Amino acid sequence: MLAIVNSVVLVGLEGQSVRVEVDLSNGLPVCDIVGLPDPSVREARERVRAAIKNSGFEFPLRRIIVNLAPGDIKKEGPIYDLPIALGILMAAEEIGSGPEETIYAAGELSLEGSLRPIPGVLPMALALQEIKPGATFIVPAANANEAALATRLKVLAAESLIQVIAYWRGEGTLPEVKETEGPGSYPATPGVNLADIKGQVAAKRGLEIAAAGGHNILLIGSPGAGKTMLARALPAILPPLTYEEALTVTKIYSAAGLLSPGQGLVTERPFRTPHHTASTASIIGGGRFPRPGEVSLATHGVLFLDEMAEYRRDVLEALRQPLEDRVVTVSRVAAAITYPADFLLIGSMNPCPCGYYGDPVKECLCTQHQVAQYRKRLSGPLLDRIDLHLEVPRLTYGEVEDSTRPEDSLTVGERVRAARERQLVRFRGTGVTCNAAMSARQVYQYCRPAPQARSLLREAFNKLSLSMRAHDRLLKVAKTIADLEGSEEITAAHLAEAIQYRSLDWGEAKEAMG
């Protein structure tokens, strides 16, 4: 007898309907799974066999063929355990054909028959509501809150195979889960307040501009000057996630299997801090079975590269494309998968290998050649994509003992939100949410400097030998400074402040870069 149960396959962040076809015939007892299954899918036959037996049902001692259609898409993970078990029991006529409504199922079975959480439920549910609006989606109870974010589906939460079979037979019910916010969120925003950071007025101003316009930023200074604390204070001044942004972040974390059991919508902006020994695949994404990398996990949040010059050259150069396009494509023989990569990059580095080049107190032990080679680890094209280059100098004791309380993150965050709201109004209907994401055409349209500022821009372009990309990014930063002041026009003062944040394009730093 043939039985069919509906399920979903996840390719990147996109889902597609799958038919789990189960055929029972006479022959030697064997269970074969076909349809491009990976090893974890093939192992389902042993999990399903034990789960059916331990749930009080007979596993048929016949020839069983399970086909996962369409057969040209790779099937990964244990998500097909539940539909395979239902299909086998239907084909063996131990349970009926199920309720009349269209039902999709996904879930991993334990040997005792309970349902375990699986990754990728939210993107599956969002895809399913486009494929079959109003369908019923049976998922493990631990995944129900995220699945319920797909509001056009009927999401049912199941704890075990026995519960699902009782519902299938019409002998019981499964609780329907409506959209709700899960308990807590992942990851938590680092709790560093700008008011807790002594001095560094210029660096704090740079953080404010970066947050207001979504600009990438590089902090350069001696060890212990406060670079890491400044970076960890950045998320606190960013505006809250919009619902659409939160949904995108939750989709990515769901596909990566990083949501906590029972969690719903992620409400905090991500803050990712990969170690400098991380591989290109872990940063950009990929692997044998492609998964989102750190650039995707930091989408709508912050990617912090501490000691940026210590990262491998190929890792840093791989960042160039995501920084420009805000998406990353992982190409494999079978398919090319595109993940979002719309993040704010903040990097920190020492000015030289020993860390004290230009320090007013401690003497640098590096030769000029060593300084130049160290700074060349960040290539010109990569630096071109970083809008703000900020020096973080050593604090004097007078700054350390100063009892004046600096502005806190809440006050700065209010100015940032006001600037972001101006940008949302300006770019309404274009898909752009901040100044840093403007296209070349939008830069020409919205970032036209005043006459006095135009002559300053011309002089800076010629003297600093700016590229066209650096020229546009300079205008974007100037526009953000104008937004913070509530000005529609880019004045010479706005542009002059923006130019001073390109420190690696001029002065001693440029000479050291060779």
Side-chain angles (χ1 to χ4, degrees), residues 121-139:
V121 167
L122 176 57
M124 289 180 197
L126 293 175
L128 184 55
Q129 74 175 354
E130 300 298 327
I131 298 169
K132 197 74 174 178
T136 299
F137 193 23
I138 301 176
V139 298

Side-chain angles (χ1 to χ4, degrees), residues 486-509:
S487 171
E488 287 299 322
E489 187 179 54
I490 298 176
T491 66
H494 301 148
L495 196 58
E497 184 176 0
I499 291 170
Q500 77 171 357
Y501 296 129
R502 301 289 305 187
S503 64
L504 293 185
D505 290 322
W506 52 274
E508 290 184 351

Side-chain angles (χ1 to χ4, degrees), residues 331-471:
S331 296
R332 293 294 180 268
V333 174
I337 300 172
T338 299
Y339 293 111
D342 188 2
F343 60 94
L344 192 160
L345 173 68
I346 179 166
S348 72
M349 63 178 288
N350 295 326
C352 67
C354 79
Y356 297 104
Y357 180 80
D359 190 278
V361 177
K362 296 194 74 171
E363 183 181 356
C364 175
L365 303 177
C366 306
T367 65
Q368 195 66 28
H369 176 71
Q370 288 175 320
V371 175
Q373 291 301 114
Y374 181 77
R375 296 198 177 191
K376 279 182 180 177
R377 294 181 185 180
L378 271 61
S379 67
L382 178 60
L383 287 172
D384 239 10
R385 291 166 168 82
I386 299 177
D387 305 327
L388 307 172
H389 312 153
L390 296 178
E391 295 182 10
V392 184
R394 175 194 291 272
L395 293 180
T396 64
Y397 190 72
E399 291 174 307
V400 172
E401 68 176 359
D402 187 2
S403 60
T404 305
R405 184 163 175 82
E407 278 189 316
D408 61 15
S409 295
L410 181 62
T411 304
V412 176
E414 287 174 355
R415 292 200 297 268
V416 168
R417 281 190 285 274
R420 284 285 185 114
E421 285 171 6
R422 293 188 187 96
Q423 293 164 44
L424 288 173
V425 171
R426 179 185 304 135
F427 302 125
R428 183 176 291 135
T430 65
V432 175
T433 58
C434 61
N435 287 336
M438 279 190 284
S439 65
R441 177 174 293 182
Q442 289 169 328
V443 171
Y444 180 78
Q445 181 179 356
Y446 297 115
C447 301
R448 312 198 82 175
Q452 202 172 16
R454 191 178 300 276
S455 61
L456 178 61
L457 179 61
R458 184 184 302 111
E459 186 177 357
F461 185 85
N462 292 328
K463 286 190 175 181
L464 303 182
S465 302
L466 297 179
S467 67
M468 196 62 215
R469 181 188 292 113
H471 168 272

Side-chain angles (χ1 to χ4, degrees), residues 205-280:
R205 170 65 173 171
L207 287 183
E208 181 180 346
I209 295 169
H215 303 288
N216 303 317
I217 185 170
L218 176 63
L219 305 175
I220 309 168
S222 303
K227 302 185 294 295
T228 300
M229 280 192 72
L230 286 164
R232 292 189 176 276
L234 180 57
I237 63 175
L238 288 168
L241 286 170
T242 65
Y243 181 79
E244 291 75 17
E245 290 174 338
L247 202 59
T248 299
V249 174
T250 309
K251 277 179 63 177
I252 296 168
Y253 276 75
S254 175
L258 295 178
L259 291 182
S260 304
Q263 185 177 344
L265 195 68
V266 172
T267 56
E268 300 282 354
R269 289 192 180 271
F271 184 84
R272 304 294 299 183
T273 58
H275 193 260
H276 68 267
T277 58
S279 66
T280 303

